[in-house]
Amino acid sequence: WDLLCRLDGPGVLAPLTGDPAEPLRRWALQRFLQKLETPGSLESLETFTRDPSPPLRFEALRALVRLGRREHFPALREFLDSPEFTFRHDAAETLVEQRDERSQELARRLLDDPEASLRRLGLSALAERGDRAVADYALAALDDTDGRVRRAGAQYLGRLLSAARDAALVGRLAEGLDRWEGEALHLAFGLVMEHGDAEAARSVRRLFQSGRSPRPDRALRAITEWAGTTAAVELATLLTGDGERNDLVLARLRDARRRFPEAGCDEAAEAIGRLLGDPDRRVRRSAALAAPDLSVALEPLAALIDDPEPSVRCAALEACRRLGRGTDRIEARLDDEDPDVRVAAVAALLAADSSAREAVSRAIAREECAWARRKMEAATSK
């Protein structure tokens, strides 16, 4: 039979469809499936749909349904009740690919299946069809114990929102940001970022302030865009004692002030002034570096020139250099114990008082640290 098949093609194997040996029938079926365009192959497959062996019958039915022979839909659907998971899964996968009402009804039925992979198949099929009837189920799927179902639910919701704006659905996703964790939070957060608007801003702010945001930078960008001209006011409320988050907020705050110079001046200055006295040195340092761009009063900033932490003193001196003010306190730092601070003091003093070159020259003359001396001389030459 193999030799005949090679010489004349699979059509000569038609008599094997009734052979009593199942391995031989299986071999013949595979030849037919490999050469479906050969005359007689489809007729032989029709014969296999009545084969006593369930695996052979299943393979023939699945191939014919995929070829558009929808009269075999009911026979293939019977395999959904098979005790064999492979039959159930592959039959469901083939049936929901068919674009008709029966496949859509089957996809909805799969949503209640105890097997997670079948629930995922149902959701994915409904998402491709744009079926809006199971949005509630897709939202609940974000709490599913199986990651594949959670991702299928997010895919369904994403397609739904891309096709048509649904403020109520986005609002429910935003409300869930307070309770979701792990992957569910990441999925819901991504959907809110892509499809949300100012109505979701409050939930996104709470998420950012709690430190649970999967992408703090993206959350801040959305808050800024949604706020528009009041972005500086909104961002000022997000400045807290967390140094890492503050750095992100301050970067956005400076950008918002450049775009809308008249908005949020008082709020930003008040927030920065509060942070200049924060117990965390990282927070004080970030606030000092941001102060020149945000119209902060000089007094609390200049006070940090005497801060116990060298990095904070450097930041305060750098801010005074950019402002060109604070001469009295700066000059006292020319004798600081930290060489970085001494270098920063030289640059700040030259910017604040052009007549201070004599004091700077004396500081350079007594500087014992070689690299600090070179930096001072470079600042003087500039």
Side-chain angles (χ1 to χ4, degrees):
W1 285 114
D2 184 45
L3 202 55
L4 281 174
C5 181
R6 294 183 187 206
L7 292 172
D8 299 330
V12 299
L13 304 179
L16 291 182
T17 58
D19 195 277
E22 182 177 333
L24 196 54
R25 296 201 309 276
R26 183 182 299 110
W27 176 81
L29 175 61
Q30 293 304 315
R31 301 291 82 73
F32 291 131
L33 293 174
Q34 291 169 2
K35 297 288 185 178
L36 290 172
E37 72 282 1
T38 303
S41 291
L42 291 182
E43 290 75 6
S44 297
L45 282 181
E46 293 282 357
T47 304
F48 275 110
T49 61
R50 298 180 293 277
D51 195 277
S53 171
L56 301 188
R57 195 164 64 251
F58 173 78
E59 290 294 339
L61 288 169
R62 183 170 66 161
L64 289 168
V65 170
R66 284 179 170 173
L67 290 170
R69 301 291 183 90
R70 297 188 177 182
E71 64 272 18
H72 295 291
F73 193 105
L76 183 59
R77 184 165 182 164
E78 292 178 5
F79 282 91
L80 294 175
D81 299 322
S82 171
E84 292 288 336
F85 171 75
T86 303
F87 285 161
R88 296 202 308 275
H89 180 276
D90 291 353
E93 186 176 40
T94 301
L95 293 172
V96 296
E97 289 173 354
Q98 310 308 306
R99 296 284 180 172
D100 58 18
E101 293 183 359
R102 291 180 300 178
S103 63
Q104 190 163 0
E105 181 273 329
L106 173 60
R108 292 181 181 178
R109 173 190 158 187
L110 291 177
L111 299 181
D112 298 321
D113 197 280
E115 290 287 347
S117 58
L118 295 182
R119 297 199 299 274
R120 177 187 60 81
L121 277 176
L123 263 177
S124 297
L126 293 172
E128 291 176 3
R129 287 171 171 78
D131 189 326
R132 307 182 65 84
V134 294
D136 290 343
Y137 180 92
L139 267 174
L142 295 179
D143 291 314
D144 200 278
T145 56
D146 190 280
R148 294 168 299 176
V149 178
R150 291 194 296 269
R151 291 187 287 276
Q155 177 195 36
Y156 176 93
L157 295 170
R159 293 201 178 193
L160 217 61
L161 293 170
S162 297
R165 170 79 180 141
D166 190 332
L169 183 56
V170 175
R172 293 172 66 185
L173 282 166
E175 291 172 5
L177 296 178
D178 291 332
R179 65 178 181 84
W180 277 313
E181 299 286 347
E183 185 182 39
L185 176 60
H186 280 73
L187 294 170
F189 176 79
L191 290 169
V192 173
M193 290 297 98
E194 186 173 353
H195 303 286
D197 56 18
E199 295 295 324
R202 182 177 300 178
S203 298
V204 176
R205 279 199 306 271
R206 285 199 304 268
L207 184 67
F208 177 83
Q209 290 172 316
S210 68
R212 297 173 53 249
S213 176
R215 286 281 306 278
D217 57 330
R218 194 175 179 190
L220 279 177
R221 184 169 69 246
I223 292 171
T224 304
E225 291 173 356
W226 294 335
T229 57
T230 63
V233 178
E234 294 287 334
L235 292 168
T237 63
L238 298 177
L239 290 169
T240 61
D242 187 290
E244 186 176 347
R245 291 204 299 271
N246 277 352
D247 289 340
L248 295 173
V249 176
L250 289 170
R252 286 285 169 188
L253 186 54
R254 285 192 288 265
D255 181 62
R257 286 295 311 282
R258 283 193 293 269
R259 293 169 60 193
F260 306 106
E262 303 302 322
C265 296
D266 296 338
E267 290 82 0
E270 189 277 331
I272 294 296
R274 184 179 70 252
L275 295 180
L276 290 174
D278 195 272
D280 191 323
R281 62 179 175 81
R282 296 171 301 173
V283 175
R284 297 198 302 276
R285 181 179 180 278
S286 297
L289 291 173
D293 298 324
L294 302 173
S295 306
V296 177
L298 179 65
E299 290 74 17
L301 176 61
L304 291 185
I305 295 176
D306 299 323
D307 194 271
E309 289 290 336
S311 62
V312 179
R313 297 200 295 274
C314 283
L317 287 165
E318 170 63 18
C320 288
R321 183 192 67 77
R322 291 165 60 191
L323 291 170
R325 299 167 63 190
T327 308
D328 297 340
R329 289 179 181 268
I330 293 173
E331 192 167 352
R333 291 294 111 196
L334 293 175
D335 295 321
D336 195 275
E337 61 184 14
D338 189 283
D340 283 313
V341 177
R342 296 197 295 271
V343 172
V346 166
L349 189 58
L350 288 172
D353 187 358
S354 58
S355 64
R357 284 186 173 273
E358 185 177 346
V360 169
S361 297
R362 289 196 301 269
I364 295 174
R366 63 176 178 268
E367 180 59 56
E368 297 178 353
C369 179
W371 65 263
R373 179 192 289 268
R374 287 196 298 270
K375 285 192 174 185
M376 290 178 182
E377 290 171 345
T380 305
S381 65
K382 290 179 182 179

